[in-house]
Amino acid sequence: MKKLFVLLLVLLAAGAWIGQLMVQDPGYVLIAFNQTTIETSLWVMLVIGVLGFLLAHWLLNILTNAMMPVQRLRNWRDRRNHSVSQRKTLKGLMALSEGNWVKAQRQLGQAAERSEVPLINYLAAARAAHEQGDDKAADELLQKARVATPQAEVAVGITQAQIQLARGQLEPCLANLLKLRKLAPKNTYVMRLLKDVYANLQDWDAIAKLLPELKKSQAVRDDKLVALERQTYMNLLNHSLEQLPVETDNASRHSVLDQAWQKLPQNLSGEPALIRRYIELLISINAEPKAEQVLREMIAKQWNEELVNLYGRIVGQDLKKQLKVAQGWVKNHPDSPDLLLTLGRLSLRNQVWGQALSYFEQSFAIQPSQETLAELSRLLRHLGEVEKARDLMQDNLAVVVDDLPELPQPEAEMAKAG
């Protein structure tokens, strides 16, 4: 109340002061345009200006209020579309997670038509269509995603590659992924998909070239990367001979096989499984002397029981030297059952029967195995010790068949009496 009273006093004082000014000096304003002139006092011109401003403000308000319903309607429609799109997207994604592909495709497709950013809806709907086996609908939805968001070519391409891989469309999938590699060379998921496609195509050379990038980008876990390396180079070894014509001579085969072996990375050159396969392939092309040399060098670098066992199965170029080499390993590995088994076999090759028998018996005593038992029994039979060989097998049935159930057995005397 006090503020209103003070305001009135201020207005009255201002009005009195202005009125006094108008009486003292009304002022003069002349406006001339072409042949027309307008003369008036300054104070009248100020009143006209104020009234004009108020009139313009009033007209602007009327025009704004007349347009407001249209804008409000547009805003309401946008909010409604956004709300419907959100609701259908949520329902569609839930249906997708639950495996309800029909509902997921319908809800996500409808949501995409109302959404301002329909990319996710189209991609998820394409996946739902793919799960139903509707390839045509899946491809159409992917194309809509491309048109709706041209800058998302990598995202659309990855989804398409996943679908193509699942369909078994390996060649189109490979072409798609190679295109994506150019667009996003550091995308680790593209690399993983490319690795899967190459594996399905049995293109081990391509995987070997991709391995350094997979390792550098850490696109694959270390344990899986090591397994992939082994698988890749194992297949490269196998295919090195398979791709050669039947009429290829052994010397040429040996050269090709050696080239494949030399491609092995340093960390795999000592892998027993790869070495064993390389040795088997050398034997298959009548290159046992080379196989014996490779094995000897590998065992000297890193002791491995499996490779030592394999050394006894190979016929080297000099059998006496081969036996002497193996005997030299006894000093550092006196209790190795595989070494003693190998020494027994090499002794047989050198026709030192008694020594072979002794090595087999020592090996069997340290670690009873079917392999050693078979060698020992066979040697005893050939030495005329048939009964001893029979007793040996009888006493070691558990070694021959190690999964017999525990069952009651009759006493020997009772069995004879019966």
Side-chain angles (χ1 to χ4, degrees):
M1 191 69 179
K2 290 181 179 180
K3 290 182 179 180
L4 180 60
F5 180 71
V6 172
L7 180 62
L8 288 173
L9 287 177
V10 171
L11 289 175
L12 287 172
W17 178 67
I18 293 173
Q20 187 178 2
L21 290 175
M22 292 175 66
V23 172
Q24 292 177 355
D25 186 2
Y28 178 75
V29 176
L30 173 64
I31 300 174
F33 182 75
N34 289 335
Q35 304 300 321
T36 303
T37 60
I38 299 175
E39 298 180 26
T40 184
S41 67
L42 173 64
W43 301 108
V44 172
M45 178 58 67
L46 289 175
V47 171
I48 292 172
V50 171
L51 290 176
F53 171 76
L54 293 175
L55 179 62
H57 182 68
W58 178 69
L59 290 174
L60 182 62
N61 280 339
I62 291 175
L63 182 61
T64 303
N65 289 330
M67 295 179 62
M68 188 62 70
V70 177
Q71 185 62 37
R72 286 177 179 173
L73 179 62
R74 185 180 294 113
N75 291 340
W76 173 82
R77 185 183 61 194
D78 290 344
R79 287 195 301 271
R80 183 175 180 277
N81 283 338
H82 181 69
S83 177
V84 172
S85 176
Q86 271 192 327
R87 187 171 65 254
K88 288 184 177 293
T89 297
L90 179 60
K91 288 182 178 180
L93 292 176
M94 288 175 62
L96 189 70
S97 300
E98 295 167 359
N100 190 342
W101 314 123
V102 176
K103 181 180 178 181
Q105 182 183 348
R106 184 179 67 253
Q107 294 286 349
L108 291 166
Q110 292 173 355
E113 295 171 1
R114 295 174 178 265
S115 176
E116 295 179 0
V117 282
L119 175 66
I120 299 300
N121 300 82
Y122 281 131
L123 294 182
R127 190 174 297 280
H130 162 68
E131 293 293 345
Q132 297 174 71
D134 192 346
D135 295 346
K136 182 179 179 182
D139 292 339
E140 288 176 353
L141 287 163
L142 287 172
Q143 185 57 33
K144 286 182 179 180
R146 278 195 174 90
V147 173
T149 317
Q151 66 270 27
E153 177 59 32
V154 174
V156 178
I158 286 175
T159 301
Q160 185 177 38
Q162 290 172 322
I163 291 175
Q164 289 172 327
L165 183 59
R167 289 177 186 169
Q169 298 174 335
L170 300 180
E171 296 295 344
C173 184
L174 177 59
N176 182 18
L177 288 171
L178 291 175
K179 177 183 175 182
L180 292 177
R181 281 275 285 165
K182 293 180 180 178
L183 294 175
K186 295 183 179 180
N187 189 298
T188 56
Y189 193 61
V190 171
M191 291 183 194
R192 288 202 295 271
L193 288 173
L194 197 57
K195 175 260 297 181
D196 292 338
V197 173
Y198 282 139
N200 278 277
L201 288 169
Q202 299 286 298
D203 192 346
W204 303 107
D205 283 306
I207 293 183
K209 294 176 183 177
L210 187 62
L211 279 170
E213 293 183 64
L214 292 172
K215 184 180 297 185
K216 182 180 179 181
S217 64
Q218 297 182 333
V220 181
R221 281 204 332 250
D222 289 344
D223 56 336
K224 290 189 175 182
L225 186 65
V226 172
L228 178 63
E229 279 187 313
R230 288 177 183 147
Q231 181 187 19
T232 299
Y233 286 100
M234 179 68 78
N235 280 285
L236 284 175
L237 279 177
N238 289 330
H239 293 170
S240 63
L241 296 182
E242 291 175 1
Q243 64 187 1
L244 295 176
V246 179
E247 63 273 11
T248 305
D249 59 85
N250 284 337
S252 299
R253 290 177 183 274
H254 190 181
S255 176
V256 170
L257 182 59
D258 272 352
Q259 289 176 16
W261 177 254
Q262 295 302 322
K263 289 180 181 179
L264 260 70
Q266 188 65 31
N267 63 307
L268 291 181
S269 60
E271 281 287 326
L274 288 168
I275 296 171
R276 186 180 187 90
R277 185 55 185 154
Y278 178 47
I279 297 302
E280 289 171 351
L281 292 171
L282 284 171
I283 293 172
S284 71
I285 58 174
N286 298 322
E288 284 199 58
K290 174 66 175 179
E292 185 271 331
Q293 178 189 344
V294 171
L295 260 185
R296 183 182 354 118
E297 293 173 354
M298 291 297 175
I299 294 170
K301 290 179 182 177
Q302 183 176 358
W303 183 261
N304 182 278
E305 295 284 333
E306 183 181 354
L307 298 184
V308 170
N309 184 300
L310 184 59
Y311 190 72
R313 295 173 174 270
I314 293 176
V315 181
Q317 189 169 6
D318 187 336
L319 292 176
K320 289 184 178 180
K321 180 181 178 181
Q322 189 176 353
L323 175 59
K324 187 175 181 180
V325 167
Q327 286 173 332
W329 296 335
V330 175
K331 181 179 179 181
N332 294 323
H333 306 279
D335 298 323
S336 167
D338 284 294
L339 175 55
L340 292 168
L341 175 61
T342 287
L343 285 168
R345 284 170 168 163
L346 293 177
S347 296
L348 287 179
R349 293 194 189 282
N350 283 276
Q351 300 184 16
V352 188
W353 318 124
Q355 181 175 274
L357 181 61
S358 175
Y359 281 135
F360 287 148
E361 288 175 338
Q362 290 177 61
S363 176
F364 191 74
I366 295 171
Q367 181 181 305
S369 67
Q370 293 184 21
E371 188 177 14
T372 309
L373 179 61
E375 288 287 12
L376 185 53
S377 177
R378 180 171 64 172
L379 179 55
L380 286 172
R381 288 197 308 272
H382 281 83
L383 289 173
E385 301 284 349
V386 178
E387 186 175 347
K388 188 175 180 180
R390 185 170 59 247
D391 291 342
L392 179 68
M393 294 296 293
Q394 183 67 33
D395 294 340
N396 292 280
L397 281 176
V399 175
V400 178
V401 183
D402 57 4
D403 60 347
L404 289 177
E406 291 290 337
L407 297 173
Q409 300 293 330
E411 296 293 337
E413 290 80 4
M414 291 176 62
K416 289 179 181 179

